[in-house]
Amino acid sequence: MARKGIREYDAKRMLATAISGYDGRSVIVGPREDLRSKAEANPWLKTEKLVAKPDQLFGKRGKNNLLSLNKDLEDTAVWIDGLMGVEKTLMSGITGTLDHFLVEPFTPFTSDTVENYVAFVLGVDGDTVYLSNMGGVEVEENWDNVKEIKLPVLVDADKSAFEATVNELYPEAHREIILTFLTELYGHFKDNGYTYLEINPFVVSAGKVVPLDT
């Protein structure tokens, strides 16, 4: 089936319309743009620690040393300025020029923060959900721990479709939060014509789900 990739910036703005408690705050910085100039329209850039990364439809940005974490506006702007227009060769061997960067609020991590993985895949006989509490950069190395949920065609899944798997993977305090998230996310997936949607990782922070990488 035909697929067209979209920028993470656009994906997260779409997710913000569907996921409870997620506001999708982010900006994108393109060629000949300065992050500092976006602070007037986005005052959170001046008050919060930030995350920045290229937004050009390639993954493993952390492993490619292309991730800026927990920096203020000025330091983040300097980091982007230093990479804008630079040609990079990724671990995959692909070479290209960096020209778009996503900036969003930094989500604090604690020693017990669990990085989670979820993906929805459209299929002929139904949709498949992949879910793991061992997400992040090493998810492929831990693929044996990824759970698979089959959702039949023409079925509008509610929380019960995910409940057994969520109960297996997560402590009671997080189950209802994650069940709500999965149900909302699957509805968004179906209603908007996705063929593939992956969030790796998402975390539970301050009682809500935050998609860190989409």
Side-chain angles (χ1 to χ4, degrees):
M1 179 172 291
R3 291 179 179 171
K4 180 176 176 60
I6 63 173
R7 295 192 191 279
E8 184 174 0
Y9 172 70
D10 295 315
K12 285 184 168 175
R13 288 195 302 159
M14 293 170 68
L15 291 180
T17 69
I19 299 174
S20 298
Y22 176 60
D23 58 19
R25 284 182 298 164
S26 62
V27 297
I28 193 162
V29 182
R32 298 175 297 281
E33 289 188 319
D34 187 333
L35 175 63
R36 303 168 188 87
S37 68
K38 297 179 180 285
E40 183 174 350
N42 302 275
W44 53 270
L45 288 170
K46 296 183 286 188
T47 60
E48 299 195 31
K49 294 296 186 179
L50 305 173
V51 174
K53 51 191 168 183
D55 192 358
Q56 296 178 223
L57 281 71
F58 66 85
K60 302 187 186 302
R61 288 164 289 188
K63 286 190 172 183
N64 282 284
N65 197 28
L66 292 172
L67 192 61
S68 170
L69 295 173
N70 201 21
K71 295 180 180 178
D72 63 18
L73 173 61
E74 181 59 28
D75 286 345
T76 303
V78 169
W79 185 82
I80 292 173
D81 292 343
L83 288 172
M84 184 68 75
V86 172
E87 185 174 87
K88 280 281 187 180
T89 299
L90 306 178
M91 294 172 58
S92 62
I94 296 174
T95 298
T97 300
L98 301 176
D99 57 16
H100 283 82
F101 292 83
L102 173 70
V103 181
E104 56 194 337
F106 174 73
T107 299
F109 275 64
T110 61
S111 59
D112 60 350
T113 299
V114 174
E115 293 183 282
N116 305 286
Y117 173 91
V118 65
F120 293 87
V121 183
L122 180 71
V124 175
D125 300 321
D127 301 326
T128 304
V129 184
Y130 297 96
L131 183 66
S132 176
N133 59 0
M134 299 181 69
V137 295
E138 305 297 338
V139 66
E140 292 173 355
E141 289 79 356
N142 292 300
W143 197 255
D144 288 347
N145 295 289
V146 176
K147 306 298 182 182
E148 187 174 310
I149 305 167
K150 293 290 188 179
L151 301 175
V153 174
L154 302 179
V155 171
D156 291 323
D158 58 18
K159 291 180 182 179
S160 63
F162 309 105
E163 191 167 17
T165 304
V166 168
N167 288 348
E168 179 182 351
L169 293 178
Y170 298 106
E172 187 173 356
H174 288 173
R175 288 173 187 170
E176 186 61 28
I177 297 168
I178 293 175
L179 281 172
T180 298
F181 165 70
L182 293 174
T183 305
E184 292 174 340
L185 189 63
Y186 184 59
H188 180 69
F189 174 86
K190 291 190 70 175
D191 292 345
N192 290 279
Y194 285 78
T195 59
Y196 183 76
L197 172 59
E198 179 185 85
I199 300 177
N200 182 41
F202 71 86
V203 298
V204 177
S205 177
K208 61 185 180 182
V209 168
V210 182
L212 299 184
D213 201 346
T214 305

